Amino acid sequence: MEATDWKNLPFGYFKTDYNIRCYYRNGKWGELEVSSSEYVSLHMAATCLHYGQEAFEGLKVFRGADGKVRIFRWEENAKRMQNSAYGIMMANVPSELFKEAVFKAVKLNEKYIPPYGEGASLYVRPLLIGSGPQVGVKPASEYMFMVFVGPVGPYFKEGFNPVNIQIVRDYDRAAPLGTGSYKVGGNYAASLRSGERAHDEGFASVLFLDAKEKKYIDEAGPANFFGIKGNTYITPNSHSILPSITNMSLREIAKDLGLTVEQRSIAVDELGSFDEVGACGTAAVISPIKKILDRETCTVYEYCKDGKAGPISTKLYNQLRGIQEGTVEDKFNWNTIIE
Ligand code: PLP
Ligand code: COI
């Protein structure tokens, strides 16, 4: 392997040595298989290709200052994949199977886990697809579960430096009673056109509003939204956003740091009254936001006037990264050591 420039890794695909596959046929899961191919062979009528039977997860593995390898809250990702599978009628992946496949993929690719202190981590991408053929709109009877991994750097090129985002009103990511709370491919397809336009216009991400009233904040592209007002951490409780495991963890950390936590509707009008705002997720970690432009009304909300992340976002970021890298006590028991 060529020497890897860990510090400058983008968030992107990185070829590693092995991936894991498992097939669901005749109502049951088979044995895990190890593959070194980057390709899959699929029936041309597989439901994932036609009707969007696809769900994925994203979780991270860190090499700590003590050299140990820690995976963050894998049980929560397993549960969320089960929920996504339920939501679009795919075979359930039991948590034990999820764990076995994820841990195996990590261990087989151990040399790709970035060293401590480089600001990088090993991203784990489990995915579940309908592989059985259908032409009528029906769920498949066969499924394929895969796990691949790869070292990544920050999702937004700014890293922990503040980003600009854009409120869009001419696109929705998910319908109020649609699939927004599941991590399924269709939601991401629906977000591509507005996301690329935002990039072209110089913004790191879009900020989606609730699809029904266009009054409340939903989420920030591939990350949840939070705001800090005084001593309070506030985040939307919308049913059409992805329940972020990072956000769930930040709410716990915030409480532990003595903040009040509110999960409630956040009206766009309230944006002007936050001291700090940010986007959070596995890939994004915490991305502080310095400017939000409402693309249609041209209203601008500004934060981080000194160009740096606010003090509370910084504290939350340091606690979260510290727990993940083993430099802050894992008092919530979120890490599992992979040996
Ligand atoms: N929202 C969306 C749409 C996402 O894709 C993600 C990423 O997984 C998140 C939020 C953040 O969720 P998590 O913190 O579990 O990664
Ligand atoms: C993640 O944060 O894990 C994501 O899946 C976000 C994005 C890359 C889809």
Side-chain angles (χ1 to χ4, degrees):
M1 187 165 97
E2 277 174 45
T4 306
D5 183 5
W6 304 109
K7 266 205 167 53
N8 294 306
L9 272 179
F11 184 91
Y13 181 76
F14 191 112
K15 185 177 184 322
T16 60
D17 297 341
Y18 302 104
N19 57 81
I20 308 296
R21 295 146 189 235
C22 192
Y23 299 88
Y24 181 90
R25 293 184 185 123
N26 302 316
K28 57 178 192 302
W29 287 104
E31 295 294 313
L32 292 189
E33 295 175 16
V34 176
S35 173
S36 49
S37 169
E38 295 172 279
Y39 295 90
V40 290
S41 175
L42 273 180
H43 193 293
M44 63 185 172
T47 59
C48 64
L49 299 177
H50 298 258
Y51 304 128
Q53 273 201 307
E54 190 277 344
F56 66 99
E57 272 304 323
L59 55 164
K60 276 181 174 170
V61 167
F62 301 84
R63 195 181 294 281
D66 56 4
K68 288 187 180 151
V69 173
R70 291 172 175 80
I71 185 162
F72 189 68
R73 305 196 78 171
W74 70 267
E75 296 97 328
E76 293 300 330
N77 293 88
K79 270 196 250 165
R80 195 169 61 190
M81 179 163 261
Q82 289 157 9
N83 200 40
S84 299
Y86 170 84
I88 60 167
M89 299 205 71
M90 299 197 288
N92 186 61
V93 177
S95 295
E96 269 316 300
L97 175 63
F98 183 94
K99 178 183 186 187
E100 208 188 320
V102 165
F103 280 47
K104 199 166 191 155
V106 173
K107 281 193 228 176
L108 288 172
N109 294 296
E110 214 219 314
K111 67 180 189 213
Y112 296 98
I113 306 172
Y116 173 74
E118 303 278 357
S121 56
L122 188 76
Y123 186 69
V124 182
R125 174 54 66 86
L127 66 152
L128 174 64
I129 60 174
S131 52
Q134 293 287 10
V135 177
V137 181
K138 284 195 274 295
S141 51
E142 294 187 358
Y143 292 86
M144 185 177 180
F145 174 54
M146 277 170 278
V147 180
F148 68 82
V149 303
V152 295
Y155 189 76
F156 296 121
K157 66 177 184 339
E158 292 84 350
F160 189 58
N161 296 317
V163 298
N164 295 333
I165 67 170
Q166 180 186 74
I167 293 175
V168 290
R169 292 170 183 275
D170 52 347
Y171 288 100
D172 292 316
R173 167 185 172 273
L177 299 176
T179 56
S181 64
Y182 305 127
K183 201 163 169 61
V184 298
N187 296 335
Y188 297 82
S191 73
L192 288 176
R193 197 159 272 289
S194 56
E196 286 306 298
R197 184 181 65 184
H199 294 155
D200 291 346
E201 293 179 357
F203 293 81
S205 171
V206 300
L207 184 59
F208 288 110
L209 302 184
D210 79 283
K212 195 171 178 183
E213 296 187 74
K214 296 281 181 200
K215 224 170 126 181
Y216 302 102
I217 309 290
D218 252 358
E219 61 183 328
N224 275 185
F225 175 89
F226 70 89
I228 307 288
K229 198 184 285 192
N231 202 37
T232 307
Y233 177 98
I234 308 168
T235 191
N237 66 347
S238 162
H239 292 293
S240 51
I241 64 176
L242 192 77
S244 155
I245 296 159
T246 311
N247 192 355
M248 191 197 303
S249 309
L250 291 175
R251 295 197 296 274
E252 290 300 309
I253 293 172
K255 276 188 225 157
D256 193 52
L257 292 174
L259 296 167
T260 304
V261 170
E262 293 178 8
Q263 224 178 332
R264 60 166 172 82
S265 301
I266 301 176
V268 178
D269 298 346
E270 197 179 338
L271 283 177
S273 63
F274 287 110
D275 303 319
E276 301 175 30
V277 297
C280 65
T282 299
V285 193
I286 288 182
S287 282
I289 294 167
K290 65 170 182 266
K291 184 169 95 178
I292 304 176
L293 166 72
D294 191 327
R295 200 175 176 278
E296 208 160 286
T297 65
C298 297
T299 312
V300 174
Y301 305 91
E302 287 189 273
Y303 313 88
C304 314
K305 296 264 164 62
D306 59 356
K308 291 201 298 259
I312 295 184
S313 303
T314 305
K315 232 189 240 178
L316 291 169
Y317 178 90
N318 288 338
Q319 284 295 108
L320 177 67
R321 280 307 285 245
I323 292 171
Q324 292 172 329
E325 294 184 327
T327 54
V328 168
E329 188 200 345
D330 179 20
K331 60 162 88 163
F332 306 103
N333 245 324
W334 286 338
N335 295 317
T336 307
I337 308 278
I338 301 187
E339 287 171 310

